[in-house]
Amino acid sequence: MASVAESEFPLASRRRRRFTRQRIGRVLAPYALLAPAATAIGVILGYPLYLLVKMSFEKYGLFELIRHKGRWIGTANYAHILHDGEFWRVLARTVVFTAVTVTLTMVLGTAMALLLLQVSRWLRVAITTGLVLVWSVPVIVAVDIWRWMVDYEFGVANWTLTKLHIGNFIRHDWFANPWTGFGVITALIVWGAIPFITITVYAGLAQVPQELLEAAAIDGAKPWAVFREVTLPLLMPIFVILTSLSIIWDFQVFQQIWVMLDFRPTSDYYTMAIYAFHQSFQISEYGLGAAIAVVMVLFMFGATLVYLRQMLRTGEVQ
Amino acid sequence: MSSVTQIAPTPVAPVAPRGRGRRRRTRQLGWNLLGLLVLAVMVFPVYWMVATAFKPGQQILSYTPHWVPTNPTLSNFRDAIHQPFFWNAVKNSLIVVSAVVALSVVLAFLASLALAKFHFYGRKAFIVLILGVQMVPLAALIIPLYILMSRLGQIDKLTGVIAMYLTFVLPFTVWTMRGFLLGIPKELEEAAMVDGATRFGAFVRVLLPLVGPGLVATSIFAFIQAWNEFIIAYVFLHTPAKQTLMVWLASFTTLRGTDWGPLMAGATLCALPVVVFFLLVQRRIAFGLTAGAVRG
């Protein structure tokens, strides 16, 4: 019947066929454009994510690594971790470290953004340039700089603190005690993270309508009240995104500690990422390492969800 | 708050009593002093690296710091580049970076074209995917990645590292490129087509030149990421001759004790390209991570 129709109305059907081919092209085009990127993400991010979960339920040691095949052992890895005191210590240490670092980063970064509003124009340009300079320093370079500054013998930090009569820091080894050691690492990370926070918050502050601030001031609100009641609510989306990003970045801290302590941190310095790395690459218990990593991902999931929702709500979806 | 930032005086200012003006000026001075202090503290570590790099040995190993390199020397830089494997590391970093930049720009451009110019089933899911995938911690993925790469025979190979870097920068570059493409009004393209250009012609003559800055920004982002990355290179490249600059720099001290002068010179050299490129695109990078967060 189709052939009859075709012979009866040859022109119309040809037009219709061209029309559909064009339509199929338009429907398929976006998928063809996406295919290369989607394939790369699928193979190198998607599949390993699946593999990570699978491995966390397997015995996966050196033998299995050579055979390219794990052995299913159910939840034994998780049971092992949860009954391990070391794991809980590492988890608590990572949570505290993240809380302190993120709080310091956000508070100092925001304070500096507010300071940028107050200083003269030339100084604002100078500070912004300085911040971008700091921002651009590669992490490994930053670690080397800080390691040099807190060197126990010739470091400029020990000399300065001694001169300022804060205490006797001559030949003080900051890494002998994990508390001061983490203090240095926190300082390094906060120093490196402030520029991004300050510049982003300042960009947000600059977009707050002046009339609102003036109206509040005319109504007799004190500067702090203006900040809390007008500026803060308007900047909330930015703060949510920056805080969740900072949590995500700081919770998985690895290279700063790893390089700062010469590739062999003692277990006092283990955070989740280092603990997982140690279990898999140093004692070849890849299954255990995977289970630790899964727990780490789950912990970060909350921050990730908040970030995603905010990004979709604000950046979306023209 | 606002009057500080304005260049022209507000109408209120001339009427204000003299005492208040002086008080404001002192307060301004106070803020500026605080600002200068903050600037000095923030920039000092970078200054200290560069200063140390130019100091002769006895000024570095001194119990009282020498704040300014009074007898600047290049000997630290000479020592740094004569360290074993420096030139291998430079070559490897250049190979990895240029491959990642070229591939990521092409793939990201194609993908963002789909996201910005087409409506299709699964579009939103893909956007969620590329935003979410950025958040998966590398420290967690490195274990299965190692397994995957060893199955594919890509351990200790630059190609494996390139493939991983490419994938890690893709979400961000796609997202940023999409922002650039969305910024171009549809009417421009349509006008070109009304004037007789084909869809492809409109694309080449109108879209491509306008999206140029976006291509530059994303490729510099890919450059910075690939140049700075450490963990992947450290885990996957075992042979010293195959390592990248950041691994070279990180293992600098463990080679023969801590030699601060050459180390700081090496650090300066490793930071230099990134600093230059960063100053070129920093606004775009801040924009991409928080795009549209304040839109009133």
Side-chain angles (χ1 to χ4, degrees), chain B:
Chain B
M1 212 183 233
S2 66
S3 57
V4 177
T5 59
Q6 281 168 355
I7 304 164
T10 52
V12 194
V15 196
R18 189 172 280 177
R20 253 178 81 187
R22 196 180 301 145
R23 206 166 63 211
R24 220 178 53 194
R25 229 172 298 137
T26 17
R27 205 194 296 156
Q28 176 73 72
L29 189 70
W31 286 123
N32 281 355
L33 285 177
L34 185 61
L36 278 175
L37 182 71
V38 165
L39 176 63
V41 170
M42 286 302 284
V43 173
F44 178 77
V46 181
Y47 166 75
W48 200 235
M49 166 181 78
V50 179
T52 308
F54 283 106
K55 278 186 212 166
Q58 72 271 18
Q59 286 191 3
I60 297 169
L61 301 183
S62 139
Y63 286 104
T64 329
H66 290 251
W67 299 106
V68 183
T70 37
N71 299 311
T73 165
L74 289 176
S75 72
N76 292 325
F77 289 93
R78 220 172 293 129
D79 283 358
I81 64 175
H82 286 126
Q83 283 280 318
F85 303 114
F86 174 77
W87 292 107
N88 290 70
V90 171
K91 194 189 80 191
N92 293 335
S93 276
L94 287 179
I95 293 174
V96 169
V97 163
S98 40
V100 170
V101 167
L103 289 169
S104 71
V105 165
V106 173
L107 295 200
F109 184 64
L110 295 179
S112 60
L113 209 54
L115 292 181
K117 297 285 166 196
F118 292 89
H119 283 273
F120 58 93
Y121 181 74
R123 178 165 160 276
K124 188 161 180 175
F126 190 80
I127 289 178
V128 173
L129 177 78
I130 62 164
L131 282 176
V133 111
Q134 287 186 87
M135 299 301 127
V136 178
L138 176 62
L141 275 185
I142 199 143
I143 301 165
L145 273 174
Y146 191 82
I147 308 294
L148 173 68
M149 288 295 160
S150 76
R151 279 179 201 171
L152 297 174
Q154 291 295 322
I155 303 291
D156 212 19
K157 294 224 173 84
L158 288 184
T159 43
V161 171
I162 290 169
M164 285 182 271
Y165 287 1
L166 169 66
T167 315
F168 296 142
V169 299
L170 267 184
F172 182 89
T173 46
V174 170
W175 186 251
T176 312
M177 281 301 301
R178 169 184 170 273
F180 273 98
L181 284 173
L182 282 176
I184 298 169
K186 233 191 166 87
E187 290 77 31
L188 277 179
E189 234 179 310
E190 282 165 4
M193 279 160 80
V194 169
D195 288 347
T198 59
R199 197 178 174 81
F200 182 72
F203 169 76
V204 170
R205 300 226 178 79
V206 179
L207 214 55
L208 215 50
L210 282 173
V211 92
L215 290 174
V216 172
T218 48
S219 54
I220 292 180
F221 173 80
F223 170 92
I224 292 171
Q225 291 299 311
W227 183 268
N228 285 357
E229 206 287 331
F230 168 74
I231 303 178
I232 293 273
Y234 169 70
V235 173
F236 285 84
L237 302 171
H238 302 152
T239 322
K242 285 191 178 161
Q243 283 166 348
T244 59
L245 263 178
M246 285 304 152
V247 183
W248 173 85
L249 183 65
S251 31
F252 198 108
T253 39
T254 45
L255 286 177
R256 48 167 221 199
T258 307
D259 210 346
W260 292 112
L263 176 62
M264 288 299 116
T268 309
L269 290 176
C270 290
L272 202 59
V274 185
V275 171
V276 170
F277 281 114
F278 214 94
L279 289 168
L280 294 177
V281 283
Q282 54 97 2
R283 292 186 47 164
R284 276 300 148 198
I285 287 170
F287 172 78
L289 282 168
T290 57
V294 175
R295 209 175 265 166

Side-chain angles (χ1 to χ4, degrees), chain A residues 139-159:
Chain A
V139 174
I140 301 300
V141 172
V143 173
D144 278 336
I145 299 175
W146 280 76
R147 211 165 42 154
W148 165 222
M149 290 199 305
V150 301
D151 180 56
Y152 80 105
E153 207 171 6
F154 302 112
V156 65
N158 283 351
W159 184 88

Side-chain angles (χ1 to χ4, degrees), chain A residues 251-277:
Chain A
F251 198 81
Q252 55 172 313
V253 58
F254 179 89
Q255 45 189 352
Q256 287 91 343
I257 300 175
W258 194 255
V259 178
M260 188 72 105
L261 293 160
D262 268 339
F263 303 144
R264 42 173 189 277
T266 56
S267 60
D268 293 333
Y269 284 98
Y270 282 8
T271 56
M272 290 293 276
I274 294 185
Y275 189 47
F277 186 89

Side-chain angles (χ1 to χ4, degrees), chain A residues 173-187 260-261 269:
Chain A
D173 181 359
W174 290 83
F175 297 101
N177 175 345
W179 286 96
T180 55
F182 265 109
V184 174
I185 290 160
T186 303
M260 188 72 105
L261 293 160
Y269 284 98

